[in-house]
Amino acid sequence: MPTTDIPELVFRERPAAGQADGLLVLHHGRGSDENDLIGLADVLDPERRLHVVTPGAPLQVPGWPGKHWYVVPRVGYPDPDTFRTSFLALSAFHDALWERTGIAPSRTVLGGFSMGSVMSHALGLGPGRPVVAGVLGLSGFVPTVEGWTPDLAPRTATRVLNAHGRRDPVIGYEFAERARALVREGGLDLTALDFDGGHQIAPQHVPALAGWVAETLPPRA
């Protein structure tokens, strides 16, 4: 796909209080937009040590509100064409963000909820992309899609947090089990959080999520 065909993403951001210790990029879920997760900035980074950015997806789907990262013919298996559009758009967005902020991929956590978690796994664990510090996956999965496969061998420095509800009716708990098995087999550091709930970010997980982000992106020496 030519560079001129890659959509430019709109976004929101919350700068750090001082010099940023790292970068936290949060990708929203299906039918939402760049405004949805910006409120998590102060929740996950209460000391405001990090530069937090929330990009909006490039797609609009007829009959659905909000923005989308890809079309869903079947849960777990994104439509290849729309997935590729968003993968390229996010690749360009992340590359430009690293250049603009001067914050390296090694000081970056890619996170998201639901469909945004899928894209965080895709960009954080996929071939040809820089190695990031962490992937924060909330109620999502590692996608199975034509043209993309995980590449974990060079990413043993990447930490992964996988949080999922055992009663999730949208993205079943079995997707969490598959993602965790993949990460463990690849030798990456994995934190798994479960709760007896559905498709949501569990409030009781917030302290653990914030602690994991702080451990993954500690203060600069």
Side-chain angles (χ1 to χ4, degrees), residues 33-76:
D33 62 22
E34 63 278 2
N35 299 299
D36 187 49
L37 298 183
I38 193 66
L40 285 180
D42 289 343
V43 174
L44 298 180
D45 176 38
E47 297 181 1
R48 299 177 66 93
R49 295 188 305 104
L50 309 176
H51 190 98
V52 184
V53 181
T54 58
L59 306 174
Q60 291 186 311
V61 178
W64 281 84
K67 298 179 179 180
H68 301 247
W69 295 106
Y70 53 82
V71 172
V72 184
R74 175 185 170 197
V75 174

Side-chain angles (χ1 to χ4, degrees), residues 8 31 50 63 125:
E8 184 172 342
L50 309 176
L125 303 180

Side-chain angles (χ1 to χ4, degrees), residues 26-27 33 40 49 53 71 89 98 121 130 148 162 171 178:
L26 298 174
H27 308 98
D33 62 22
L40 285 180
R49 295 188 305 104
V53 181
V71 172
W98 289 321
H121 283 95
W148 183 90
N162 182 295
I171 297 175
R178 293 176 196 171

Side-chain angles (χ1 to χ4, degrees), residues 46-204:
E47 297 181 1
R48 299 177 66 93
R49 295 188 305 104
L50 309 176
H51 190 98
V52 184
V53 181
T54 58
L59 306 174
Q60 291 186 311
V61 178
W64 281 84
K67 298 179 179 180
H68 301 247
W69 295 106
Y70 53 82
V71 172
V72 184
R74 175 185 170 197
V75 174
Y77 301 84
D79 165 69
D81 289 339
T82 51
F83 175 87
R84 183 169 182 265
T85 294
S86 286
F87 184 89
L88 292 176
L90 272 179
S91 295
F93 180 82
H94 293 163
D95 291 347
L97 188 58
W98 289 321
E99 181 176 3
R100 175 169 67 87
T101 63
I103 302 172
S106 62
R107 300 289 301 182
T108 299
V109 165
L110 302 179
F113 172 70
S114 190
M115 186 178 276
S117 172
V118 176
M119 298 310 299
S120 299
H121 283 95
L123 273 295
L125 303 180
R129 297 301 300 154
V131 176
V132 297
V135 174
L136 177 61
L138 307 174
S139 300
F141 54 82
V142 177
T144 300
V145 58
E146 180 183 348
W148 183 90
T149 55
D151 180 23
L152 302 187
R155 303 178 190 279
T156 53
T158 300
R159 306 181 77 215
V160 177
L161 186 147
N162 182 295
H164 213 103
R166 296 187 187 91
R167 302 177 183 177
D168 192 330
V170 178
I171 297 175
Y173 184 70
E174 66 272 14
F175 286 103
E177 295 178 312
R178 293 176 196 171
R180 294 169 185 179
L182 175 73
V183 169
R184 289 191 183 102
E185 290 168 6
L188 280 64
D189 179 87
L190 173 69
T191 297
L193 299 176
D194 294 335
F195 66 104
D196 289 322
H199 194 62
Q200 66 184 91
I201 299 173
Q204 62 267 36

